[in-house]
């Protein structure tokens, strides 16, 4: 009986993710994201499940079906990964105008943004916060082939304290409006982890500190206590889920790392002790250092609260300086952008910021491939072009190791052996 139950549970995981047929792609150049070496004239062969069976020089003999897709004038890379997105939200869904947007409407917004995201070359995303489990529905719709979009790991509603960044503080008391993830105290937080997993979350997202786009709090101020975060991390890990903590504040970053949280989102005000703790615990740091430009230039027009713009002015530059310092100190870093704060599909604009603030192009690309896959626990599936991984392939004109901005104009996207877009067809 128990065995039958387990098999039934496993079935959705085994279903094919796309309707690919076996085939191959010939790449003029191919970036080996592990070594950072650029290989020439490579063939990627995949099977009917969209899984890579061989990668190597095109001159070798492989058992292939049909003529390879010709990308001999292009550079291939593995599909990119953004570990911090909000596909069901747009920049205009912040502040008071967000109160007029229904949960079903947000699901439709998610379908639009999933398409934009995968077409921009991001074939996998980790979605960290959505109302009403719209992210679970979107993930399932994509996996069933109803909606075009990236592979998704989703968190459902983010957990947070009453009145915190992950609550909704826009309305007065008489409306009794509370966000779906609010839970105070270790046991209530544990119960909320269980509830979130029950309704389909792949990971748990929490708000450890205050934030920018929320009303009445400060990014540097601690919200969840160490004790609450320890309970959340223990409960989530017991249920096989990782935890991502929104944390701008110096103290909250350290408390979250000490509590065993798996990734620190934003990481804005991290200090040397926090960096040392992250290295000691192997905690990933995710710095969303592109969207500062968008918030300061477009945020007011998009309807963000005046206090949000003021908060961003205070921490935006500090976050970028701390990104450089943390990278030079050797912490683990994954590529996450907070897409939704800025328009979806522009995710790759962050690469140039990461290079501007201390990384080499190859470091930034590794953060969005092998390192992001490691944080997700999906290294065996995505993040590199090797046998056994999904045939998630993107291609660009030019050399991303010389000019990382070519990733802002991805011209070919394949997900699981199925072509999502191809602008090289004129050849
Ligand atoms: Zn976010």
């Amino acid at each position: 009986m128990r065995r039958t139950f387990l098999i039934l549970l496993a079935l959705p995981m085994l279903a094919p993710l796309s309707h690919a047929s076996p085939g191959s792609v010939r790449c003029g150049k191919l970036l080996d994201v592990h070594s950072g070496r650029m290989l020439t004239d490579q063939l990627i062969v995949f099977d009917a499940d969209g899984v890579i069976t061989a990668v190597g020089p095109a001159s070798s003999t492989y058992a292939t079906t049909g003529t390879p897709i010709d990308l001999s004038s292009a550079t291939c890379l593995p599909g990119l990964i953004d570990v911090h997105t909000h596909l069901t939200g747009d920049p205009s869904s912040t502040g008071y105008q967000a109160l007029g947007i229904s949960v079903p409407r947000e699901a439709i917004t998610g379908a639009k943004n999933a398409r934009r995201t995968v077409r921009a070359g991001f074939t996998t995303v980790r979605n960290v916060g959505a109302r009403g489990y719209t992210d679970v529905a979107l993930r399932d719709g994509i996996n069933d082939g109803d909606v075009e979009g990236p592979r998704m790991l989703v968190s459902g509603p983010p957990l947070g304290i009453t009145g915190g960044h992950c609550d909704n503080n826009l309305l007065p008391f008489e409306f009794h409006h509370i966000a779906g993830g609010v839970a105070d105290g270790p046991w209530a937080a544990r119960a909320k982890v269980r509830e979130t997993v029950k309704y389909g979350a792949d990971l748990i997202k929490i708000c450890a500190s205050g934030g920018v786009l929320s009303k009445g709090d400060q990014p540097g101020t601690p919200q969840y206590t160490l004790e609450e975060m320890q309970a959340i991390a223990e409960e989530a890990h017991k249920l096989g889920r990782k935890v991502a903590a929104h944390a701008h504040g110096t103290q909250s970053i350290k408390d979250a790392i000490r509590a065993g949280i798996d990734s620190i989102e934003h990481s804005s005000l991290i200090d040397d002790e926090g960096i040392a703790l992250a290295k000691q615990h192997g905690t990933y740091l995710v710095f969303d250092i592109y969207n500062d430009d968008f918030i300061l230039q477009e945020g007011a027009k998009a309807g963000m609260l005046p206090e949000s713009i003021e908060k961003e002015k205070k921490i935006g530059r500090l976050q970028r300086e701390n990104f450089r310092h943390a990278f030079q100190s050797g912490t683990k870093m994954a590529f996450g952008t907070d897409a939704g704060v800025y328009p979806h599909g522009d995710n790759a604009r962050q690469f140039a910021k990461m290079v501007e603030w201390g990384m080499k192009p190859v470091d930034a690309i590794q953060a969005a491939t092998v390192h992001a896959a490691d944080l997700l626990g999906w290294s065996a599936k995505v993040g590199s072009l090797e046998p056994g991984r999904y045939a998630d392939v993107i291609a660009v004109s030019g050399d991303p190791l010389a000019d990382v901005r070519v990733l802002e104009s991805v011209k070919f996207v394949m997900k699981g052996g199925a072509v999502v877009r191809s602008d090289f067809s004129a050849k």
Side-chain angles (χ1 to χ4, degrees):
M1 190 61 206
R2 181 179 166 79
R3 191 180 163 80
T4 312
F5 179 64
L6 283 174
I7 288 168
L8 281 174
L9 265 181
L11 267 176
M13 306 286 287
L14 296 172
L17 288 164
S18 64
H19 307 285
S21 49
S24 56
V25 180
R26 185 175 181 170
C27 302
K29 288 182 178 168
L30 188 152
L31 181 64
D32 176 345
V33 287
H34 289 293
S35 68
R37 283 200 315 140
M38 193 64 84
L39 311 171
T40 52
D41 203 19
Q42 298 284 304
L43 193 70
I44 304 164
V45 185
F46 51 88
D47 64 17
D49 294 326
V51 174
I52 298 172
T53 54
V55 182
S59 53
S60 307
T61 321
Y62 299 97
T64 60
T65 313
T67 312
I69 294 170
D70 184 12
L71 299 176
S72 55
S73 63
T75 303
C76 296
L77 301 94
L80 302 168
I81 303 168
D82 190 333
V83 304
H84 192 129
T85 68
H86 300 278
L87 292 186
T88 59
D90 281 329
S92 57
S93 32
T94 52
Y96 277 91
Q97 57 201 350
L99 293 172
I101 303 171
S102 70
V103 166
R105 184 67 185 87
E106 285 188 355
I108 306 290
T109 298
K112 173 193 69 173
N113 291 328
R115 185 169 186 272
R116 285 189 182 173
T117 301
V118 73
R119 285 178 172 256
F122 287 80
T123 52
T124 300
V125 302
R126 188 179 67 157
N127 206 72
V128 284
R131 285 200 303 154
Y133 295 94
T134 46
D135 52 354
V136 169
L138 185 59
R139 175 199 66 195
D140 294 349
I142 292 168
N143 288 347
D144 288 345
D146 296 339
V147 177
E148 186 179 287
R151 303 178 195 286
M152 291 183 76
L153 280 161
V154 305
S155 72
L159 277 58
I161 66 164
T162 296
H165 177 63
C166 285
D167 196 357
N168 188 317
N169 311 319
L170 294 166
L171 295 172
F173 171 75
E174 61 267 31
F175 288 91
H176 304 291
H177 187 48
I178 300 165
V182 170
D184 296 299
W187 279 104
R190 275 184 195 266
K192 191 58 82 172
V193 169
R194 293 168 184 167
E195 180 184 302
T196 309
V197 169
K198 170 181 172 176
Y199 292 112
D202 301 302
L203 75 140
I204 302 300
K205 163 78 181 296
I206 69 167
C207 284
S209 81
V212 173
L213 298 184
S214 42
K215 188 180 176 191
D217 63 348
Q218 287 300 325
T221 307
Q223 293 190 349
Y224 266 139
T225 65
L226 175 65
E227 190 187 11
E228 286 168 319
M229 289 195 276
Q230 283 169 331
I232 290 167
E234 187 185 292
E235 191 67 30
H237 291 160
K238 191 179 73 185
L239 298 175
R241 304 305 197 277
K242 293 193 178 193
V243 186
H246 157 110
H248 290 287
T250 313
Q251 187 59 46
S252 297
I253 291 168
K254 289 187 259 197
D255 285 346
I257 295 170
R258 287 196 177 101
I261 300 300
D262 301 279
S263 68
I264 305 299
E265 310 298 309
H266 310 298
S267 315
S268 309
L269 304 175
I270 195 167
D271 64 4
D272 283 333
E273 190 187 13
I275 288 171
L277 277 170
K279 287 177 73 173
Q280 183 193 332
H281 287 255
T283 315
Y284 268 95
L285 302 181
V286 179
F287 286 84
D288 52 329
I289 59 169
Y290 163 66
N291 66 52
D292 178 49
D293 287 6
F294 182 85
I295 294 173
L296 296 184
Q297 285 160 25
E298 307 289 335
K301 266 180 271 171
M304 292 174 187
L305 300 169
E307 71 168 73
S308 295
I309 312 289
E310 288 308 309
K311 286 190 266 188
E312 186 61 35
K313 279 183 191 162
K314 286 191 189 127
I315 63 164
R317 186 173 176 94
L318 287 171
Q319 186 194 31
R320 289 172 177 187
E321 287 168 357
N322 289 331
F323 163 81
R324 180 167 57 197
H325 183 42
F327 172 67
Q328 287 167 350
S329 306
T331 59
K332 293 208 254 180
M333 284 192 176
F335 182 99
T337 65
D338 219 354
V341 168
Y342 68 89
H344 293 274
D346 288 347
N347 313 56
R349 291 190 184 185
Q350 186 169 289
F351 286 112
K353 282 288 159 203
M354 293 165 93
V355 170
E356 185 185 331
W357 289 90
M359 281 186 166
K360 290 196 290 293
V362 68
D363 303 317
I365 292 168
Q366 286 174 332
T369 53
V370 276
H371 297 155
D374 181 47
L375 169 57
L376 268 45
W378 275 10
S379 292
K381 294 192 208 184
V382 298
S384 63
L385 295 171
E386 294 173 275
R389 311 307 190 278
Y390 284 113
D392 292 355
V393 184
I394 65 165
V396 294
S397 295
D399 180 0
L401 297 184
D403 177 12
V404 81
R405 298 198 71 160
V406 299
L407 294 171
E408 294 173 21
S409 316
V410 168
K411 294 201 161 72
F412 173 89
V413 179
M414 168 178 276
K415 182 187 152 201
V419 176
V420 176
R421 74 180 286 178
S422 179
D423 302 347
F424 287 115
S425 53
K427 198 181 168 293

